[in-house]
Amino acid sequence: MKNIRFLDANEIVYGEVEKLSPHTVKITGEISPNISGFRLELDSGAVYGKYDGFTTLFKEIEGGFILSDDGSIYVEPEPMPEPEPVPEQTLEEVQEAKVAEMNDAQQKMIQEGINVTLTNGTIEHFTLTDHDQTSLVGLQAQVLAGEENIPWHTSDETEHCKFYSNADMELITAAAMAYVTWHVTYFRDLRIYIRSLADKATIESIRYGVEIPDKYKSDVLKAMEVA
């Protein structure tokens, strides 16, 4: 316990004094708040701590109080606002979000492309980006025109373009068109299936490639599956 003498009092009171910051000091003990400033004294009466400028009641606390020497007082912080509740998605919103997700998956699958076994038995991979698909339409026309030595390239960016025979280019374009047609057809049926569902959890669990119930399959998709 420290000997505390407030500047407006003659008697010493006893308590604990703790400097909280350059401008605040805490006093605890059976002491009433006093804003006259104070000093700390030894039993001999010698002063060893001067707090004359601490004349503002910063805050009352349990078992004591805090004084400041710059006029500052404690201000309760603004309560944190409750977060706005996130509105639950409607069934239609869940359906359309899943449709958009599946469309992205379809585009990614198409653009990653296909492996094609050529007439000599080698397997080469071809990407099917939008640009590739447009180019393949032109290549298909060259095949139909009976041209030989048709220039094209694999997905390997370290390889140069090269010439393909008419037979090989026919294999490449046919496989590419069938692959794109499959995914476009599958996605359209999947979209119809998703929009038929009324359970959000079921919709959210759907992944691209899931088996579509027969009642939602088009005749085209059924024929492709048989083929």
Side-chain angles (χ1 to χ4, degrees), residues 165-218:
S165 68
N166 187 283
D168 280 341
M169 186 53 67
E170 183 177 10
L171 290 173
I172 295 167
T173 55
M177 296 306 172
Y179 186 75
V180 172
T181 301
W182 161 266
H183 281 284
V184 170
T185 303
Y186 172 81
F187 169 69
R188 291 182 66 87
D189 289 356
L190 180 62
R191 180 172 56 192
I192 292 171
Y193 172 53
I194 290 170
R195 288 174 175 166
S196 75
L197 297 171
D199 180 67
K200 294 179 183 178
T202 301
I203 295 170
E204 290 171 345
S205 69
I206 289 177
R207 298 293 179 267
Y208 193 79
V210 68
E211 178 69 20
I212 301 172
D214 281 347
K215 65 180 291 188
Y216 296 103
K217 290 180 183 178
S218 63

Coordinates of all heavy atoms in Angstrom, one line a residue, residues 165-218:
S165 N -2.8 -36.1 -92.7 CA -3.4 -36.7 -93.9 C -4.9 -36.4 -93.8 O -5.5 -36.1 -92.8 CB -3.2 -38.2 -94.0 OG -3.9 -38.8 -92.9
N166 N -5.6 -36.6 -95.0 CA -7.0 -36.4 -95.0 C -7.7 -37.3 -94.0 O -8.7 -36.9 -93.3 CB -7.5 -36.6 -96.4 CG -9.0 -36.2 -96.6 OD1 -9.9 -37.0 -96.2 ND2 -9.3 -35.1 -97.1
A167 N -7.2 -38.6 -94.0 CA -7.9 -39.6 -93.1 C -7.7 -39.2 -91.7 O -8.6 -39.3 -90.9 CB -7.3 -40.9 -93.4
D168 N -6.5 -38.7 -91.3 CA -6.3 -38.4 -89.9 C -7.1 -37.1 -89.5 O -7.6 -37.1 -88.4 CB -4.8 -38.1 -89.7 CG -4.0 -39.4 -89.5 OD1 -4.6 -40.4 -89.2 OD2 -2.7 -39.4 -89.7
M169 N -7.1 -36.2 -90.4 CA -7.9 -34.9 -90.1 C -9.4 -35.3 -90.0 O -10.1 -34.6 -89.2 CB -7.6 -33.9 -91.1 CG -8.3 -32.5 -90.8 SD -7.8 -31.9 -89.1 CE -6.1 -31.6 -89.3
E170 N -9.8 -36.2 -90.8 CA -11.2 -36.6 -90.7 C -11.5 -37.2 -89.3 O -12.5 -37.0 -88.7 CB -11.6 -37.7 -91.7 CG -13.1 -38.1 -91.7 CD -13.4 -39.0 -92.8 OE1 -12.5 -39.5 -93.5 OE2 -14.6 -39.3 -93.0
L171 N -10.5 -38.0 -88.8 CA -10.6 -38.6 -87.4 C -10.7 -37.5 -86.4 O -11.5 -37.5 -85.4 CB -9.5 -39.5 -87.2 CG -9.5 -40.9 -87.9 CD1 -8.2 -41.6 -87.6 CD2 -10.7 -41.7 -87.5
I172 N -9.8 -36.5 -86.5 CA -9.7 -35.4 -85.6 C -11.0 -34.6 -85.5 O -11.5 -34.3 -84.5 CB -8.5 -34.5 -85.9 CG1 -7.2 -35.3 -85.7 CG2 -8.4 -33.3 -85.0 CD1 -5.9 -34.6 -86.3
T173 N -11.4 -34.1 -86.7 CA -12.6 -33.3 -86.7 C -13.8 -34.0 -86.3 O -14.7 -33.5 -85.6 CB -12.8 -32.7 -88.1 OG1 -12.9 -33.8 -89.1 CG2 -11.7 -31.8 -88.5
A174 N -14.0 -35.3 -86.7 CA -15.1 -36.1 -86.3 C -15.2 -36.3 -84.8 O -16.2 -36.1 -84.1 CB -15.2 -37.4 -87.0
A175 N -14.0 -36.6 -84.2 CA -14.0 -36.8 -82.8 C -14.2 -35.5 -82.0 O -14.9 -35.5 -81.0 CB -12.6 -37.4 -82.4
A176 N -13.7 -34.4 -82.5 CA -13.9 -33.1 -81.9 C -15.4 -32.7 -81.9 O -15.9 -32.3 -80.9 CB -13.0 -32.1 -82.6
M177 N -16.0 -32.8 -83.1 CA -17.4 -32.4 -83.2 C -18.3 -33.3 -82.3 O -19.2 -32.8 -81.7 CB -17.8 -32.5 -84.6 CG -17.1 -31.5 -85.5 SD -17.2 -29.8 -84.9 CE -16.0 -29.0 -86.1
A178 N -18.0 -34.6 -82.3 CA -18.8 -35.5 -81.5 C -18.6 -35.2 -80.0 O -19.6 -35.2 -79.2 CB -18.4 -37.0 -81.7
Y179 N -17.4 -34.9 -79.6 CA -17.1 -34.5 -78.2 C -17.9 -33.3 -77.8 O -18.5 -33.2 -76.7 CB -15.6 -34.3 -78.0 CG -15.1 -34.1 -76.6 CD1 -15.1 -35.2 -75.7 CD2 -14.7 -32.9 -76.2 CE1 -14.6 -35.0 -74.4 CE2 -14.3 -32.7 -74.8 CZ -14.2 -33.7 -74.0 OH -13.8 -33.6 -72.7
V180 N -17.8 -32.2 -78.6 CA -18.5 -31.0 -78.3 C -20.0 -31.2 -78.3 O -20.7 -30.7 -77.3 CB -18.1 -29.9 -79.3 CG1 -19.0 -28.7 -79.1 CG2 -16.7 -29.5 -79.2
T181 N -20.5 -32.0 -79.2 CA -22.0 -32.2 -79.3 C -22.4 -33.0 -78.0 O -23.5 -32.7 -77.5 CB -22.3 -33.0 -80.5 OG1 -21.9 -32.3 -81.7 CG2 -23.8 -33.3 -80.6
W182 N -21.6 -33.9 -77.6 CA -21.9 -34.7 -76.4 C -22.1 -33.7 -75.2 O -23.1 -33.8 -74.5 CB -20.9 -35.7 -76.1 CG -20.9 -36.2 -74.7 CD1 -20.2 -35.8 -73.6 CD2 -21.8 -37.2 -74.1 NE1 -20.5 -36.4 -72.4 CE2 -21.5 -37.3 -72.7 CE3 -22.8 -38.0 -74.7 CZ2 -22.2 -38.1 -71.9 CZ3 -23.5 -38.9 -73.8 CH2 -23.2 -38.9 -72.4
H183 N -21.1 -32.9 -75.0 CA -21.2 -32.0 -73.8 C -22.3 -31.0 -73.9 O -22.9 -30.7 -72.9 CB -19.8 -31.4 -73.6 CG -18.8 -32.3 -72.9 ND1 -18.8 -32.6 -71.6 CD2 -17.8 -33.0 -73.5 CE1 -17.8 -33.4 -71.3 NE2 -17.2 -33.7 -72.4
V184 N -22.5 -30.5 -75.1 CA -23.6 -29.5 -75.2 C -24.9 -30.1 -74.9 O -25.8 -29.6 -74.2 CB -23.6 -28.9 -76.6 CG1 -24.8 -28.1 -76.9 CG2 -22.3 -28.0 -76.8
T185 N -25.1 -31.3 -75.5 CA -26.4 -32.1 -75.3 C -26.5 -32.5 -73.8 O -27.6 -32.3 -73.2 CB -26.4 -33.3 -76.1 OG1 -26.2 -33.0 -77.5 CG2 -27.7 -34.1 -76.0
Y186 N -25.5 -33.0 -73.2 CA -25.5 -33.4 -71.8 C -25.9 -32.2 -70.9 O -26.7 -32.2 -70.0 CB -24.2 -34.0 -71.4 CG -24.1 -34.2 -69.9 CD1 -24.7 -35.4 -69.3 CD2 -23.5 -33.3 -69.0 CE1 -24.7 -35.6 -67.9 CE2 -23.5 -33.5 -67.6 CZ -24.0 -34.7 -67.1 OH -24.0 -34.9 -65.7
F187 N -25.2 -31.0 -71.2 CA -25.5 -29.9 -70.3 C -26.9 -29.4 -70.5 O -27.5 -29.0 -69.5 CB -24.5 -28.7 -70.7 CG -24.9 -27.4 -70.1 CD1 -24.7 -27.2 -68.7 CD2 -25.4 -26.4 -70.8 CE1 -25.1 -26.0 -68.1 CE2 -25.8 -25.2 -70.3 CZ -25.6 -25.0 -68.9
R188 N -27.4 -29.4 -71.7 CA -28.8 -28.9 -71.8 C -29.8 -29.8 -71.1 O -30.7 -29.3 -70.4 CB -29.2 -28.9 -73.3 CG -28.4 -27.8 -74.1 CD -28.9 -27.8 -75.6 NE -30.2 -27.4 -75.7 CZ -30.6 -26.1 -75.8 NH1 -29.7 -25.1 -75.8 NH2 -31.9 -25.8 -75.9
D189 N -29.6 -31.1 -71.1 CA -30.5 -32.0 -70.4 C -30.3 -31.8 -68.9 O -31.2 -31.8 -68.1 CB -30.2 -33.4 -70.8 CG -30.7 -33.8 -72.2 OD1 -31.3 -32.9 -72.8 OD2 -30.5 -34.9 -72.6
L190 N -29.0 -31.6 -68.5 CA -28.7 -31.4 -67.0 C -29.4 -30.1 -66.5 O -29.9 -30.1 -65.4 CB -27.2 -31.3 -66.8 CG -26.7 -31.1 -65.4 CD1 -27.1 -32.3 -64.5 CD2 -25.2 -30.9 -65.4
R191 N -29.3 -29.1 -67.3 CA -30.0 -27.8 -67.0 C -31.5 -28.0 -66.7 O -32.0 -27.5 -65.8 CB -29.7 -26.8 -68.1 CG -30.3 -25.4 -67.8 CD -29.8 -24.4 -68.8 NE -30.1 -24.8 -70.2 CZ -29.6 -24.2 -71.2 NH1 -28.7 -23.2 -71.1 NH2 -29.9 -24.7 -72.5
I192 N -32.1 -28.7 -67.6 CA -33.5 -29.0 -67.5 C -33.8 -29.8 -66.2 O -34.7 -29.5 -65.4 CB -34.1 -29.8 -68.7 CG1 -34.0 -28.8 -69.9 CG2 -35.5 -30.3 -68.4 CD1 -34.4 -29.5 -71.2
Y193 N -32.9 -30.8 -65.9 CA -33.1 -31.6 -64.7 C -32.9 -30.7 -63.5 O -33.7 -30.8 -62.5 CB -32.0 -32.7 -64.7 CG -31.9 -33.5 -63.5 CD1 -33.1 -34.1 -62.9 CD2 -30.7 -33.7 -62.8 CE1 -33.0 -34.8 -61.7 CE2 -30.6 -34.4 -61.7 CZ -31.7 -34.9 -61.1 OH -31.7 -35.7 -59.9
I194 N -31.9 -29.9 -63.4 CA -31.7 -29.0 -62.3 C -32.9 -28.1 -62.0 O -33.3 -28.0 -60.9 CB -30.4 -28.2 -62.5 CG1 -29.2 -29.0 -62.4 CG2 -30.3 -27.0 -61.4 CD1 -27.9 -28.3 -62.9
R195 N -33.4 -27.6 -63.0 CA -34.6 -26.6 -62.9 C -35.9 -27.4 -62.5 O -36.9 -26.7 -62.1 CB -34.8 -25.8 -64.2 CG -33.7 -24.8 -64.4 CD -33.8 -24.1 -65.7 NE -32.8 -23.0 -65.8 CZ -32.5 -22.4 -67.0 NH1 -33.0 -22.8 -68.1 NH2 -31.6 -21.5 -67.0
S196 N -35.8 -28.7 -62.6 CA -37.0 -29.5 -62.2 C -37.0 -29.8 -60.7 O -38.1 -30.2 -60.1 CB -37.1 -30.8 -63.0 OG -36.1 -31.7 -62.5
L197 N -35.9 -29.6 -60.1 CA -35.7 -30.1 -58.7 C -36.2 -29.0 -57.7 O -36.1 -27.8 -58.0 CB -34.2 -30.3 -58.4 CG -33.6 -31.5 -59.1 CD1 -32.1 -31.5 -58.9 CD2 -34.3 -32.8 -58.7
A198 N -36.8 -29.4 -56.6 CA -37.4 -28.5 -55.7 C -36.7 -28.5 -54.3 O -37.0 -27.8 -53.4 CB -38.9 -28.8 -55.4
D199 N -35.7 -29.4 -54.2 CA -34.9 -29.5 -52.9 C -33.6 -28.8 -53.1 O -32.7 -29.3 -53.9 CB -34.8 -31.0 -52.5 CG -34.0 -31.1 -51.2 OD1 -34.5 -30.7 -50.2 OD2 -32.8 -31.6 -51.3
K200 N -33.3 -27.8 -52.3 CA -32.1 -27.0 -52.5 C -30.8 -27.9 -52.2 O -29.8 -27.8 -52.9 CB -32.1 -25.8 -51.5 CG -33.1 -24.8 -51.9 CD -33.1 -23.6 -50.9 CE -34.2 -22.6 -51.1 NZ -34.2 -21.5 -50.1
A201 N -30.9 -28.7 -51.2 CA -29.7 -29.6 -50.9 C -29.4 -30.5 -52.0 O -28.2 -30.8 -52.3 CB -30.0 -30.4 -49.6
T202 N -30.4 -31.1 -52.6 CA -30.2 -32.0 -53.8 C -29.5 -31.2 -54.9 O -28.6 -31.7 -55.6 CB -31.5 -32.6 -54.2 OG1 -32.1 -33.3 -53.2 CG2 -31.3 -33.5 -55.4
I203 N -30.0 -30.0 -55.2 CA -29.5 -29.2 -56.3 C -28.0 -28.9 -56.0 O -27.1 -29.0 -56.9 CB -30.3 -27.9 -56.4 CG1 -31.7 -28.2 -56.8 CG2 -29.6 -26.9 -57.4 CD1 -32.6 -27.0 -56.8
E204 N -27.7 -28.5 -54.8 CA -26.3 -28.1 -54.4 C -25.4 -29.3 -54.5 O -24.1 -29.1 -54.6 CB -26.3 -27.4 -53.0 CG -27.0 -26.0 -53.0 CD -27.2 -25.5 -51.7 OE1 -27.0 -26.2 -50.7 OE2 -27.5 -24.3 -51.5
S205 N -25.9 -30.5 -54.3 CA -25.0 -31.7 -54.3 C -24.6 -32.1 -55.8 O -23.8 -33.0 -55.9 CB -25.7 -32.8 -53.6 OG -26.8 -33.3 -54.3
I206 N -25.3 -31.6 -56.8 CA -25.0 -32.0 -58.1 C -23.6 -31.6 -58.6 O -23.2 -30.5 -58.4 CB -26.1 -31.4 -59.1 CG1 -27.5 -32.1 -58.8 CG2 -25.7 -31.6 -60.5 CD1 -28.6 -31.5 -59.6
R207 N -23.0 -32.5 -59.3 CA -21.7 -32.3 -59.9 C -21.7 -32.6 -61.3 O -22.5 -33.5 -61.8 CB -20.6 -33.2 -59.2 CG -20.4 -32.8 -57.7 CD -19.8 -31.5 -57.5 NE -19.7 -31.1 -56.1 CZ -20.6 -30.5 -55.3 NH1 -21.7 -30.1 -55.9 NH2 -20.4 -30.3 -54.1
Y208 N -20.9 -32.0 -62.1 CA -20.9 -32.2 -63.6 C -20.5 -33.6 -63.8 O -19.5 -34.1 -63.3 CB -19.9 -31.3 -64.3 CG -20.1 -31.2 -65.8 CD1 -21.1 -30.5 -66.4 CD2 -19.3 -32.0 -66.6 CE1 -21.3 -30.5 -67.7 CE2 -19.4 -32.0 -68.0 CZ -20.5 -31.2 -68.5 OH -20.7 -31.2 -69.9
G209 N -21.3 -34.3 -64.7 CA -21.1 -35.7 -65.0 C -22.0 -36.6 -64.3 O -22.0 -37.8 -64.5
V210 N -22.9 -36.1 -63.4 CA -23.8 -36.9 -62.7 C -24.8 -37.6 -63.7 O -25.1 -37.0 -64.7 CB -24.6 -36.0 -61.7 CG1 -25.5 -35.0 -62.4 CG2 -25.4 -36.9 -60.7
E211 N -25.2 -38.7 -63.3 CA -26.2 -39.4 -64.1 C -27.5 -38.7 -64.1 O -28.1 -38.4 -63.0 CB -26.4 -40.9 -63.7 CG -27.4 -41.7 -64.4 CD -27.0 -42.0 -65.9 OE1 -25.8 -41.9 -66.1 OE2 -27.9 -42.3 -66.7
I212 N -28.1 -38.4 -65.3 CA -29.4 -37.7 -65.4 C -30.5 -38.7 -65.4 O -30.4 -39.7 -66.2 CB -29.4 -36.8 -66.6 CG1 -28.3 -35.8 -66.6 CG2 -30.8 -36.1 -66.7 CD1 -28.1 -35.0 -67.8
P213 N -31.5 -38.6 -64.6 CA -32.6 -39.6 -64.7 C -33.2 -39.6 -66.2 O -33.2 -38.6 -66.9 CB -33.7 -39.0 -63.8 CG -32.9 -38.2 -62.8 CD -31.8 -37.6 -63.6
D214 N -33.6 -40.8 -66.6 CA -34.0 -41.0 -67.9 C -35.1 -40.1 -68.4 O -35.1 -39.7 -69.5 CB -34.5 -42.5 -68.1 CG -33.3 -43.5 -68.3 OD1 -32.2 -43.0 -68.5 OD2 -33.6 -44.7 -68.2
K215 N -36.0 -39.7 -67.5 CA -37.2 -38.9 -67.9 C -36.7 -37.5 -68.3 O -37.5 -36.7 -68.9 CB -38.2 -38.8 -66.7 CG -37.7 -38.1 -65.5 CD -38.8 -38.1 -64.4 CE -39.9 -37.2 -64.8 NZ -40.9 -37.0 -63.7
Y216 N -35.5 -37.1 -67.9 CA -35.0 -35.8 -68.3 C -33.9 -35.9 -69.4 O -33.3 -34.8 -69.7 CB -34.4 -35.1 -67.0 CG -35.4 -34.8 -66.0 CD1 -35.4 -35.6 -64.8 CD2 -36.3 -33.8 -66.1 CE1 -36.4 -35.4 -63.9 CE2 -37.3 -33.6 -65.1 CZ -37.3 -34.4 -64.0 OH -38.3 -34.2 -63.0
K217 N -33.7 -37.1 -69.9 CA -32.7 -37.2 -71.0 C -33.4 -37.0 -72.3 O -34.5 -37.5 -72.6 CB -32.1 -38.6 -71.0 CG -31.1 -38.8 -69.9 CD -30.5 -40.2 -69.9 CE -29.6 -40.6 -68.8 NZ -29.1 -41.9 -68.8
S218 N -32.8 -36.3 -73.2 CA -33.3 -36.1 -74.6 C -33.1 -37.4 -75.4 O -32.2 -38.2 -75.0 CB -32.6 -34.9 -75.3 OG -31.2 -35.2 -75.4

